[in-house]
Amino acid sequence: MRKRLAWVFVALAVMLAVGFLVPLGRSVSSQARLRSLAGAQSDARGVATALAATARSTGRTPLTEDVEFVLDSFDSPDLMVILSNGTVLGSNIPVVEALELATAGSVVAEVDGGVAAIVPIAFGSGDLIVVTAFVSNEDLTEGVSTAWAILAVLGVLVIIGSVPIADRFALSIVRPMRDLSDAAPRWAGG
């Protein structure tokens, strides 16, 4: 009886650990992905805003030098700008794919090897500049395997820690019954 109660307690600890840690691990994975995507969107929008501010202050569509200056200030190798004349500064995804996606407006799209945040900028002169920020699949899952390993170790510690507690709990239930069964013959004899 004592072993059975201890195993029930351990099984309950396993169910609780799995039921809590697996959703937590999935949440960590989701948050890592969202963090990476938010960073890419922020970079793309930042470059687009800087280029729009440049156009407003100069009164002309940004030139290659303007774009290079803005890209250098962001210091990110995952940014790419496609000028209206077809000049491409930086590289991350195929230009044709970026231009196709830009027709949908500002988007985040799955591309080969990762995800791209695409922000088109339309100027009054009819020029269109497309800014893309790329996040690789590795960056989308950065730190996730470490988090899963920590959660797995935590789950194992919870389960191992529950074994002595389960044994003490089972003993506290079984001992009074054993004492009662030992005393039963004495009571029967009067």
Side-chain angles (χ1 to χ4, degrees), residues 161-184:
S162 71
V163 171
I165 295 170
D167 183 56
R168 291 290 131 210
F169 178 72
L171 183 62
S172 71
I173 292 175
V174 171
R175 183 178 289 152
M177 290 199 273
R178 189 180 307 140
D179 293 344
L180 182 61
S181 69
D182 290 344

Side-chain angles (χ1 to χ4, degrees), residues 80 82 88 90-102 111-113 116 118 130 132 134:
M80 179 176 74
I82 305 167
V88 178
S91 66
N92 55 28
I93 65 172
V95 174
V96 173
E97 187 175 7
L99 292 173
E100 287 174 2
L101 291 169
V111 294
D112 287 337
I118 299 163
V130 178
T132 66
F134 178 75

Side-chain angles (χ1 to χ4, degrees), residues 124-151:
S125 60
D127 293 333
L128 177 73
I129 293 179
V130 178
V131 179
T132 66
F134 178 75
V135 182
S136 68
N137 288 329
E138 294 80 29
D139 289 342
L140 287 172
T141 59
E142 182 180 352
V144 172
S145 57
T146 304
W148 273 101
I150 291 169
L151 290 174

